[in-house]
Amino acid sequence: MRLHRLEITAFGPFGGRQTVDFDALSSAGLFLLHGPTGAGKTSVLDAVCFALYGSVPGVRQNPGTSLRSDHAPVGTSTEVVLELTVGERRLEITRRPAQQRLKKRGDGFTTEKAQTWLREFDPATGTWAGLSRSHQEIGEEITQLVGMSREQFCQVVLLPQGDFARFLRADAEARGRLLGRLFDTRRFAAVEERLADLRRAAQRQVEDGDERLLALAHRMGQAAGGLGVARTSVEGRPGDPGLTDAVLTWAAVARTEAHEALDIARVRLDAAEARQGAARAALDAENDLAARQARHADALLRHERLTARAPERDRLQAALDRSLKADRVAPALGLREDAEREHATARTARERSRALLPADLADAGADHLAALEHRLREELGGLEAARRAERRAATVAEERAVLAREARADDDVLRDAADWLAGWEPRRAALTERVEAARDAAARAEHLAGRLEPARRRLAAARRRDGLAEDVRTAETRLADARERRNTAHESWLDVKSRRLEGIAAELAVTLSDGDPCQVCGSTTHPAPARTTADHVDRATEEAAYEAYTRAEETRTAVERELAVLRESWSTARTEALAGATPSAVADPSVRELVGEVEELTRLHAEAHALAGQSHGAREALARAEREYEERVGVQREAERRVAARTSRREALEREQTALDEELALGRGAFGTVAEHATRLERRIGLLVDAAGAVRSAELAAQRLKEADDRLADAAYRAGFTTPAEAAAALLRESDRRDHQHRVDAWQAEAAAVADRLAEPGTVAAAALPPADPVAAAAAHTAAERALRAAASALAAARERVTDLVGLSRQAVTEVRRLGPLREEYDRVARLAALTAGTSAENERRMRLESYVLAARLEQVAAAATARLQRMSSGRYTLVHSDARSGGKRAGLGLHVVDAWTGNERDTATLSGGETFFASLALALGLADVVTDEAGGVRLDTLFIDEGFGSLDEQTLDEVLDVLDSLRERDRSVGIVSHVGDLRRRIPVQLEVVKARRGSAVRLRTGGDALSG
């Protein structure tokens, strides 16, 4: 993988667009990335990681931190563009994080979603082709091509030296966590966890088997209910050998009794069904007779009611007949009523309109009123010009009032701007001083942070040292006791063994028989076989004594190993506690001294950090003040311009007002305003229009009323009525007519129904019989049904009992059959789980499966790192992997350094600061090679090394640079991120990050030339 070009816009400290030409940097093979603290050196590496994976390295990935630059102007989008070659493919990745932007409509901001583009260069056409805009697709494509996850890329390509220095000093568990992320050994940990889960599940199944059997027996006892077997229970507890047979036997007896109870219930149900059928037939006969007798009595009562309502039915029928004749006169009646209402309305409107007119016009005709209206309209039209002049005069007055208010407002603005600008210089000086103080505090906080972390590590080591010292003393006491018990057991075993040898002849004599050869001499005669004595010791006693001695020996060995581990851990902790101490120190620093040192550094760092935290606010306050100053000056100039323009406008309005006043004096006449004069004319015109219309409407309504009277009289005569009033009285409303017809139809339907019922032969015959008694028949039927339900319930309960007992018995048999294979499965899985978890006696080094795999990877890393470490250290140091157990912990991930000068092998935590740097650098480069091979052999042509060179002397720095320069043999380019000034003289190709007020910028330097980025 080779990087070509990086474009950064509004990202981190970079406010504008910055371009990094990696092709120019990589041409020399080795280049330097430098700049002041906080300028954005690490942000360049963050941008590379963000372009590839959509996020920055883990230690800087804070969910509450925005990637957008605080220096970026509004409207500029945060964006990172990376052009690279990977897998013989030239790609361009563009990423924009989620960010705030101005709304396209309205005020305020809106959140813009994250966006990603992926393009590929086609050498044949010389153009870029778009591949995808999906975050997920692009992420999967880049991860597959690079062959590494984000964590692996940040550890292998960006090479953070602080992490590898901690890796050298870390214990096995910490190394395991880092290696597990890089080599992705989660599948082996998943195997361990899966086997442990299987073991626990199998154990629970075996333990639950007997519980389920007892639960089934209890459920069978509940299902048996009132049977005799239910009064007994299965004796036994989970794990008892006879529990299975007891449960199966008890179940067989319960099933037999349940079948007998079921047969008895069937016989009782058949008898109850016969009794219920007879009672049902008797009840139906009584109910039928009672119903027919009731129908005959009801028919007689309804016939009497019909006879009483006959006169009313005749009256309603006559009214319906007259209403049908009057329907022919109804249209003429409606027209006459409409004409009468219209005439009354028109007459009322005429009288009302005449009352509003002057007395001389009260009896005027419509034509005279229309002529007078025409003359008044002509007079109103002559006032239109005066009305326009009056409206313009009001507008001019309002404009003059607005100009006066604006003049007062501008006077206030000028006074306020002058007062504020008078105190500008002292305020700017105070804000500038505040910014400088915060900047100094940031540098002081960074220096104190570099001292605080080593002090905390020394304090933690001192606490471990004191705790381990007590553990060593305790272990020494236990070792003395274990040695004493071992010696005692050894003497006891030797004594028992000696006594058994003395009586071995008697032990052999027990096996002799006449005619069989002796095992010692071969003779077939045994004249005087030896006899056992009272203090004879047999073979079992000797083996028991030897087993006790063996256990004591194992205990002593375990305590010795534990003591050796504790002493080694104490020595390591003591060395860590002394790290950084003055050479003249003769005693180990106490915990109290180190606590005081850490607390003092913490207090000083907190104070400096708190003051440095005000840097952003101070810069923002100064920027706001400068912006406000510019705004105040602009407001002052704008107000002065408006004052000058307003004077000429006011003079023009005064001249126009004078001309309008002269025109209005002519148009008002005797009225106060032209509008009042015009309103009076419009009101009179409206009255004349209403009066003329009302007179015409009254004349037309009178004519239509006369015509309606003539048509009504003619229609009443043709329908057979003497007068129209008689016809109107005969009319019925539609609701009354429907009611009359409904009542007549109901009387006729009821008469027909009563006649049919009285003619029924069965009803007449039933009336001649004695009254029926359905109540007694219903009581007998209810009793029979109750007995039937009880018998059915008893049968259902017996069936359910049999079904439940049979089903539970089958479950019990099934449970018994599955317990055997489950126990075998548990034994097999438990053995495998203990072996992979490192807890089995078969696993001598107590190594977990994941640790075993990582140990092989660590051995490869140590071998790859040694090739460069020997060159950096002039052949002195070699990294080796150790699988020995340390500190009572499990074995597998130890890392030691072999010193060729002394021939000793020691822990990597004992290296000095400079030695730790080049050892960690060699380890990082070796790890990069191994992870690259593990990831599929993707070639890494660009590497970055972040800090650490300041701890090297001049000779060691030359050797380290030689090693890094040798990477060019593999066509690699290495970028060094460092503050060390000596590197600027040694490395001609440089990428400088320059810090400025409006954001950082990058500059490419090649020898003495400089090109601004």
Side-chain angles (χ1 to χ4, degrees):
M1 181 186 71
R2 176 176 294 276
L3 306 181
H4 299 292
R5 176 178 56 88
L6 175 67
E7 291 185 4
I8 307 173
T9 305
F11 183 88
F14 303 102
R17 179 181 295 273
Q18 301 295 320
T19 301
V20 179
D21 188 354
F22 282 111
D23 286 335
L25 292 171
S26 302
S27 60
L30 190 64
F31 62 90
L32 177 65
L33 175 60
H34 69 93
T37 301
K41 300 184 298 297
T42 305
S43 295
V44 174
L45 308 184
D46 290 347
V48 173
C49 183
F50 176 73
L52 288 173
Y53 296 98
S55 60
V56 297
V59 294
R60 296 182 289 277
Q61 181 69 24
N62 187 347
T65 302
S66 173
L67 298 178
R68 180 170 178 79
S69 174
D70 295 334
H71 305 285
V74 177
T76 300
S77 299
T78 299
E79 182 180 84
V80 175
V81 180
L82 178 64
E83 184 179 340
L84 73 159
T85 297
V86 56
E88 305 301 327
R89 297 172 63 185
R90 186 151 185 160
L91 304 175
E92 182 189 76
I93 308 170
T94 303
R95 288 190 187 270
R96 289 184 179 179
Q99 54 191 298
Q100 295 286 322
R101 63 166 176 80
L102 288 172
K103 292 182 177 179
K104 296 181 180 179
R105 296 181 180 178
D107 299 331
F109 293 85
T110 184
T111 300
E112 186 178 63
K113 295 182 179 180
Q115 303 180 62
T116 307
W117 295 270
L118 178 63
R119 299 195 303 168
E120 183 175 4
F121 182 75
D122 187 357
T125 61
T127 59
W128 291 91
L131 297 181
S132 176
R133 296 190 62 176
S134 169
H135 296 293
Q136 183 176 1
E137 290 180 359
I138 295 174
E140 293 175 354
E141 179 74 11
I142 295 301
T143 302
Q144 183 177 2
L145 288 175
V146 176
M148 290 181 286
S149 64
R150 179 174 65 89
E151 290 78 7
Q152 290 176 317
F153 179 83
C154 295
Q155 201 76 37
V156 171
V157 178
L158 304 185
L159 299 185
Q161 290 304 300
D163 290 352
F164 283 98
R166 285 191 292 272
F167 181 81
L168 287 173
R169 296 188 176 94
D171 55 12
E173 293 183 1
R175 290 195 183 109
R177 287 193 294 270
L178 175 60
L179 294 174
R181 290 196 304 270
L182 294 178
F183 293 106
D184 192 14
T185 56
R186 290 174 296 179
R187 59 188 183 278
F188 300 104
V191 170
E192 298 176 20
E193 184 177 355
R194 177 59 178 166
L195 286 173
D197 291 342
L198 291 176
R199 178 186 59 79
R200 287 190 293 269
Q203 183 178 3
R204 284 194 300 270
Q205 289 176 338
V206 172
E207 291 175 351
D208 293 345
D210 287 346
E211 290 287 350
R212 288 193 294 271
L213 273 179
L214 288 176
L216 288 172
H218 179 68
R219 289 173 59 190
M220 284 188 284
Q222 293 177 336
L227 298 177
V229 72
R231 291 188 289 271
T232 63
S233 61
V234 177
E235 297 295 334
R237 294 179 301 175
D240 290 349
L243 181 63
T244 301
D245 293 339
V247 170
L248 296 180
T249 301
W250 189 91
V253 175
R255 290 197 304 273
T256 301
E257 293 186 2
H259 281 291
E260 294 177 355
L262 177 61
D263 294 338
I264 295 173
R266 286 198 184 99
V267 173
R268 291 176 177 174
L269 178 63
D270 293 341
E273 286 177 346
R275 289 192 295 271
Q276 189 269 345
R280 176 76 259 180
L283 176 60
D284 292 342
E286 288 297 320
N287 286 335
D288 179 65
L289 177 60
R292 286 184 288 136
Q293 290 177 347
R295 284 169 62 84
H296 185 269
D298 180 66
L300 293 177
L301 179 61
R302 288 163 63 186
H303 183 268
E304 293 175 0
R305 292 174 181 171
L306 285 173
T307 303
R309 289 165 49 197
E312 180 184 3
R313 191 263 306 172
D314 296 339
R315 179 180 60 78
L316 293 175
Q317 186 64 51
L320 286 173
D321 295 339
R322 287 177 58 81
S323 176
L324 290 175
K325 293 170 59 181
D327 284 346
R328 289 176 287 177
V329 188
L333 283 171
L335 291 175
R336 202 278 177 187
E337 291 175 356
D338 293 341
E340 186 176 7
R341 284 194 300 271
E342 181 180 354
H343 179 261
T345 301
R347 186 171 55 194
T348 301
R350 182 189 64 186
E351 297 302 326
R352 185 169 55 251
S353 63
R354 282 181 171 179
L356 299 175
L357 295 175
D360 58 340
L361 298 176
D363 296 327
D367 295 337
H368 179 68
L369 293 174
L372 183 58
E373 173 206 349
H374 182 69
R375 288 197 304 272
L376 292 177
R377 286 187 183 279
E378 291 178 351
E379 183 180 354
L380 178 62
L383 295 178
E384 185 61 32
R387 295 175 71 176
R388 288 196 298 270
E390 188 175 46
R391 289 194 295 270
R392 177 57 186 163
T395 303
V396 169
E398 291 178 0
E399 291 185 9
R400 294 176 64 189
V402 170
L403 290 176
R405 289 195 298 273
E406 291 178 349
R408 291 192 296 271
D410 284 341
D411 291 341
D412 295 339
V413 169
L414 290 173
R415 283 195 301 273
D416 182 61
D419 294 341
W420 191 91
L421 292 173
W424 163 241
E425 291 301 331
R427 184 180 182 190
R428 180 172 61 181
L431 290 173
T432 303
E433 182 179 355
R434 181 183 170 194
V435 170
E436 294 299 331
R439 186 181 296 114
D440 295 340
R444 189 165 61 256
E446 184 175 359
H447 173 69
L448 290 172
R451 295 175 55 195
L452 180 58
E453 186 60 28
R456 286 175 174 166
R457 290 196 296 268
R458 292 177 58 207
L459 174 58
R463 286 173 172 163
R464 291 198 308 275
R465 176 200 63 196
D466 294 349
L468 289 170
E470 183 62 28
D471 293 342
V472 167
R473 288 191 291 272
T474 303
E476 289 174 347
T477 303
R478 290 170 53 202
L479 178 59
D481 294 342
R483 285 173 175 171
E484 182 64 26
R485 286 193 295 272
R486 180 264 181 195
N487 293 336
T488 301
H490 185 255
E491 293 175 358
S492 176
W493 169 59
L494 292 177
D495 178 65
V496 170
K497 184 176 181 181
S498 175
R499 289 164 54 193
R500 180 170 179 249
L501 290 174
E502 292 175 357
I504 194 68
E507 186 173 337
L508 292 174
V510 174
T511 63
L512 295 176
S513 59
D514 294 339
D516 294 331
C518 177
Q519 298 177 13
V520 179
C521 62
S523 175
T524 57
T525 60
H526 317 294
R531 296 288 184 267
T532 57
T533 61
D535 59 347
H536 176 69
V537 176
D538 57 8
R539 182 182 183 87
T541 304
E542 180 187 358
E543 290 178 351
Y546 178 73
E547 184 178 356
Y549 160 67
T550 303
R551 287 196 301 270
E553 177 66 19
E554 291 176 352
T555 302
R556 180 191 64 81
T557 303
V559 174
E560 284 181 348
R561 286 198 298 266
E562 181 181 356
L563 178 58
V565 169
L566 289 173
R567 285 173 176 169
E568 182 180 355
S569 300
W570 175 84
S571 177
T572 302
R574 180 174 179 271
T575 302
E576 292 180 5
L578 285 171
T582 58
S584 59
V586 296
D588 293 345
S590 65
V591 173
R592 178 177 299 177
E593 294 172 352
L594 293 175
V595 167
E597 180 183 353
V598 170
E599 291 178 348
E600 179 65 16
L601 289 175
T602 302
R603 181 184 63 79
L604 294 175
H605 178 266
E607 293 175 355
H609 188 271
L611 183 56
Q614 301 175 7
S615 174
H616 180 72
R619 292 196 302 271
E620 288 293 325
L622 178 58
R624 286 196 301 272
E626 291 176 346
R627 289 194 298 271
E628 186 175 2
Y629 168 76
E630 295 174 357
E631 292 173 358
R632 294 275 185 172
V633 172
V635 168
Q636 186 183 41
R637 292 172 181 168
E638 184 65 21
E640 292 173 348
R641 184 191 61 76
R642 289 197 302 271
V643 168
R646 193 181 299 110
T647 302
S648 60
R649 177 60 179 164
R650 183 168 53 248
E651 293 174 354
L653 290 175
E654 289 175 353
R655 290 192 299 271
E656 185 180 359
Q657 183 68 45
T658 302
L660 291 173
D661 290 342
E662 295 174 357
E663 184 177 356
L664 289 174
L666 298 176
R668 283 194 296 266
F671 297 95
T673 63
V674 176
E676 183 180 351
H677 188 185
T679 302
R680 179 67 62 84
L681 290 176
E682 290 172 350
R683 187 183 307 116
R684 293 184 64 187
I685 291 172
L687 293 175
L688 291 173
V689 170
D690 293 342
V695 169
R696 292 191 183 93
S697 298
E699 292 173 353
L700 292 173
Q703 179 64 29
R704 285 195 291 271
L705 178 61
K706 183 177 180 304
E707 294 173 355
D709 286 337
D710 295 340
R711 285 194 295 271
L712 176 61
D714 182 62
Y717 177 77
R718 286 197 303 270
F721 292 100
T722 306
T723 63
E726 183 181 355
L731 282 173
L732 290 176
R733 294 192 301 272
E734 185 63 28
S735 59
D736 293 339
R737 181 179 298 176
R738 286 197 301 270
D739 179 66
H740 289 7
Q741 188 65 50
H742 176 71
R743 292 165 67 182
V744 169
D745 293 342
W747 190 94
Q748 293 175 351
E750 178 70 5
V754 170
D756 290 340
R757 181 167 296 182
L758 291 175
E760 293 177 355
T763 302
V764 176
L769 296 175
D773 188 6
V775 176
H781 178 262
T782 301
E785 278 195 335
R786 190 181 300 113
L788 178 60
R789 285 195 298 271
S793 298
L795 178 60
R799 285 186 180 137
E800 183 178 1
R801 183 186 300 115
V802 170
T803 302
D804 291 345
L805 288 174
V806 171
L808 291 172
S809 297
R810 292 197 185 100
Q811 293 180 30
V813 172
T814 303
E815 189 63 33
V816 169
R817 290 175 178 172
R818 62 186 294 269
L819 272 178
L822 287 178
R823 192 174 302 278
E824 296 177 1
E825 177 69 14
Y826 167 70
D827 293 338
R828 181 172 60 258
V829 171
R831 181 170 174 270
L832 286 175
L835 184 63
T836 57
T839 59
S840 172
E842 298 175 330
N843 192 333
E844 295 180 359
R845 295 191 177 276
R846 296 293 192 263
M847 289 179 64
R848 294 171 48 232
L849 177 61
E850 184 181 16
S851 299
Y852 179 78
V853 176
L854 291 177
R857 292 289 185 265
L858 182 58
E859 188 172 358
Q860 295 174 356
V861 171
T866 296
R868 296 184 176 89
L869 178 59
Q870 287 182 339
R871 184 172 179 181
M872 293 181 188
S873 61
S874 300
R876 180 179 178 182
Y877 293 117
T878 302
L879 283 176
V880 295
H881 161 250
S882 173
D883 58 2
R885 300 178 65 187
S886 175
K889 300 179 180 178
R890 297 180 181 181
L893 297 178
L895 191 63
H896 290 175
V897 61
V898 177
D899 190 344
W901 292 3
T902 63
N904 294 329
E905 179 179 329
R906 53 193 173 100
D907 193 271
T908 53
T910 61
L911 294 173
S912 65
E915 293 169 341
T916 298
F917 167 72
F918 61 68
S920 62
L921 176 59
L923 183 66
L925 295 174
L927 185 61
D929 292 340
V930 175
V931 172
T932 301
D933 296 338
E934 175 72 13
V938 177
R939 181 180 178 84
L940 300 178
D941 297 320
T942 306
L943 300 177
F944 295 93
I945 302 174
D946 194 355
E947 282 300 347
F949 292 86
S951 61
L952 303 181
D953 56 49
E954 184 174 357
Q955 179 181 355
T956 305
L957 182 60
D958 287 336
E959 294 172 347
V960 170
L961 291 179
D962 288 341
V963 171
L964 295 178
D965 195 53
S966 67
L967 294 176
R968 288 187 297 177
E969 299 172 1
R970 301 176 62 184
D971 197 21
R972 277 185 175 179
S973 61
V974 179
I976 297 176
V977 184
S978 178
H979 294 279
V980 178
D982 193 32
L983 291 174
R984 302 181 192 176
R985 297 187 297 271
R986 296 170 181 262
I987 303 176
V989 179
Q990 302 174 11
L991 181 67
E992 181 182 5
V993 183
V994 182
K995 182 166 58 175
R997 176 183 294 273
R998 298 190 179 277
S1000 299
V1002 296
R1003 295 175 181 173
L1004 175 65
R1005 297 183 181 275
T1006 306
D1009 300 333
L1011 297 175
S1012 175

